[in-house]
Amino acid sequence: MATILDLAARSRSGVTLTEFARELDAPLSSVQGLVNGLVATGYLDERERRYTLGPAPFLLTRLAGRPAVTAVTHQDLVELHEETGMTAVLAIVVGSDLYYVDYASSDPRYAYLAEGFVRRSLIRTSTGWILLAGMEKRDLWAQIGALPPAETERVNRFLYSLARIQREGLVAAPGASTEADGVSVAVIEDGKTVAAVGVMGGHAEVAERKDELIEVLTRRRREWEGRAPAME
């Protein structure tokens, strides 16, 4: 498994099953089963039958207390929080769950969610909508299909907005959660959505300040994109 993860981490364009099998000197069928398990648990991402490192190793580094590895730093979240006066979060998806892996907030609820790495629902958060929209269609349909019937209304609203979210890389006040609302943008590296950054608050405040928050996050995103590593 270590060899597979090492190969995937070193490749920008992705590794094929045949390449894994050749490097491991193992039957393709055996490698397929192992790789499928790594994809299912978030250690590998698969696009067009090529495999790259997934988000799970990133989550492990955060659990170990190490810094984030995306172009978005903790200081960026602090500045977002200071500029907007609202909670700022960095979110990733692992398997079927969303995690806040960094945050800046004066609200203890978000401290609990981020510091405890509490699983969140993708369909019930604005950052989750961004992460869902960044998935390959096959993975997106699998995520949607696994949701319970109680989420049908949210799923319909998400699907109605899907093309716009994919085009803009932004979600504004979707009303995905009954507890809070937010404006979120995609963090894109090497052409792939690797995380989402959101600013969160009460429904009324987010609705009232939506245009302002869109402007702030759009401006900040341009700064992050300027730091993202170029594809080899």
Side-chain angles (χ1 to χ4, degrees):
M1 186 173 73
T3 299
I4 289 176
L5 294 177
D6 182 73
L7 288 171
R10 294 174 186 276
S11 174
R12 294 286 186 178
S13 59
V15 184
T16 66
L17 279 173
T18 299
E19 290 167 339
F20 281 138
R22 182 167 60 243
E23 185 69 23
L24 293 167
D25 192 22
L28 195 64
S29 58
S30 299
V31 174
Q32 174 78 77
L34 181 55
V35 166
N36 287 349
L38 291 170
V39 171
T41 52
Y43 285 89
L44 291 177
D45 276 340
E46 185 268 328
R47 292 194 176 205
E48 298 179 354
R49 299 182 181 179
R50 302 188 74 89
Y51 299 86
T52 55
L53 197 67
F58 171 77
L59 179 60
L60 292 180
T61 65
R62 298 300 295 137
L63 286 168
R66 296 176 183 171
V69 295
T70 69
V72 180
T73 67
H74 178 70
Q75 183 59 32
D76 291 323
L77 299 181
V78 170
E79 292 173 4
L80 261 180
H81 173 52
E82 291 174 347
E83 182 173 359
T84 63
M86 301 173 72
T87 292
V89 299
L90 175 67
I92 65 169
V93 58
V94 177
S96 299
D97 301 308
L98 176 141
Y99 293 86
Y100 296 142
V101 292
D102 203 355
Y103 77 103
S105 178
S106 55
D107 188 330
R109 293 174 299 175
Y110 288 96
Y112 166 72
L113 292 172
E115 293 177 14
F117 297 98
V118 177
R119 293 181 179 91
R120 300 279 287 167
S121 167
L122 287 165
I123 202 66
R124 287 177 171 260
T125 60
S126 62
T127 48
W129 283 31
I130 287 286
L131 294 166
L132 283 168
M135 293 179 180
E136 290 285 293
K137 279 188 177 180
R138 181 190 62 188
D139 299 326
L140 172 59
W141 301 150
Q143 293 278 2
I144 294 298
L147 292 170
E151 300 291 13
T152 298
E153 181 186 353
R154 287 186 177 88
V155 168
N156 288 339
R157 284 193 280 117
F158 166 75
L159 292 175
Y160 178 80
S161 305
L162 178 58
R164 178 181 52 76
I165 297 170
Q166 291 174 328
R167 183 173 63 251
E168 300 175 359
L170 183 144
V171 168
S177 170
T178 57
E179 305 161 3
D181 214 341
V183 177
S184 298
V185 294
V187 179
I188 298 175
E189 296 180 5
D190 291 341
K192 182 173 69 172
T193 298
V194 297
V197 171
V199 287
M200 311 296 180
H203 290 278
E205 181 181 12
V206 172
E208 181 180 350
R209 299 178 60 191
K210 182 171 72 171
D211 291 342
E212 171 202 347
L213 297 174
I214 290 173
E215 187 280 325
V216 170
L217 277 170
T218 301
R219 169 166 42 84
R220 295 280 183 173
R221 179 170 59 180
R222 287 195 292 268
E223 298 174 9
W224 308 329
E225 288 174 346
R227 303 180 204 149
M231 183 179 292
E232 296 177 354

